[in-house]
Amino acid sequence: MTCCSFLFSRKKTACSAEHTTEIDDEVSGIQNTKLFPYKELKMATGNFHYSNKIGEGGFGVVYKGTFRDGTVAAIKVLSADSRQGVREFLTEINVIANIEHENLVKLHGCCVEGNHRILVYGYLENNSLAQTLLGGGNSSMQFSWSMRRNICLGVAKGLAFLHEEVRPYIVHRDIKASNILLDKNLMPKISDFGLAKLFPDNLTHISTRVAGTTGYLAPEYAIRGQLTRKADIYSFGVLLLEIVSGRCNTNRRLPLSDQYLLERV
């Protein structure tokens, strides 16, 4: 190893350790968050075996885990190499740890050992709307109009809670079909709060980098980067169209004139 590479390696290690300490300190200051040992999560998921993989996003992989007492959980493992994933990890804990609602996913705890950043949620048997209703998982489930109506109402209640009842209120920023999970009774739960923003009452908007998913972004937010609760409401409107029509807002396998759902309504 050359002198330069040795110094670089030491500097990188020191920075990494300092960054890890900052994360540990921030997590330890959050109330109502259980800290899981990494060994316990590794055992629950069969060493994070691919057969237990139930989802994957931009910041990591979600596994089904079964603990010794029979409790089943969804275990979200964030990429150790992603600084953005670390920010999402901290944001998600800060936002969801101290609030509870029947239409929001329940955070049971997290793991912050070494470079491991893992979130532990309640397991939802029927996956997401993207996997079931919109066919991403080739599901055979049939959704009646009353079921679709109840899902729409449940998501609306969850958003109303975030926007009106929490202080400071919360703008989710990524309402979409893959972030609406369904329990065994098909009750919808809003998930994935990694992009969420806490919104003080004295602000009319927050100027921020645009984040979210193409097809669900409100035009004024996408163009100017000015975030308000209306961004979530627009995304919810797109989601409503998907639930009613049973198709994704964008499908490039269709003829050009039919690819974009919003152009058809």
Side-chain angles (χ1 to χ4, degrees), residues 102-260:
E102 65 178 0
N103 296 115
L104 305 181
V105 293
K106 174 62 179 174
L107 178 68
H108 293 311
C110 64
C111 172
V112 290
E113 286 185 21
N115 66 343
H116 301 298
R117 302 290 172 260
I118 305 173
L119 296 165
V120 181
Y121 282 103
Y123 177 72
L124 297 173
E125 293 83 350
N126 285 309
N127 215 301
S128 71
L129 280 177
Q131 292 290 316
T132 52
L133 176 61
L134 304 185
N138 297 315
S139 172
S140 60
M141 290 178 61
Q142 298 296 315
F143 288 81
S144 67
W145 286 115
S146 62
M147 292 163 61
R148 296 179 196 223
R149 179 196 63 205
N150 290 337
I151 291 170
C152 292
L153 289 174
V155 177
K157 290 176 182 177
L159 272 181
F161 176 76
L162 296 174
H163 288 180
E164 304 294 342
E165 298 183 42
V166 179
R167 288 294 181 273
Y169 66 79
I170 297 167
V171 177
H172 185 280
R173 287 210 297 171
D174 203 17
I175 296 295
K176 59 182 179 180
S178 59
N179 284 340
I180 306 300
L181 307 183
L182 303 172
D183 70 8
K184 62 182 179 181
N185 299 315
L186 297 184
M187 178 180 288
K189 313 274 187 179
I190 299 173
S191 70
D192 201 338
F193 287 78
L195 297 179
K197 288 287 186 182
L198 302 178
F199 218 113
D201 285 332
N202 62 331
L203 296 181
T204 59
H205 69 273
I206 293 176
S207 294
T208 182
R209 68 178 181 86
V210 177
T213 302
T214 302
Y216 294 92
L217 292 175
E220 70 277 5
Y221 172 49
I223 294 170
R224 296 193 295 271
Q226 292 188 346
L227 180 68
T228 70
R229 284 174 284 193
K230 294 178 182 179
D232 279 353
I233 295 170
Y234 180 92
S235 300
F236 176 58
V238 176
L239 178 66
L240 287 181
L241 291 175
E242 292 181 319
I243 293 172
V244 170
S245 67
R247 59 156 285 187
C248 298
N249 69 76
T250 303
N251 187 344
R252 292 188 171 86
R253 290 175 296 180
L254 296 174
L256 184 60
S257 60
D258 295 326
Q259 288 183 6
Y260 301 101

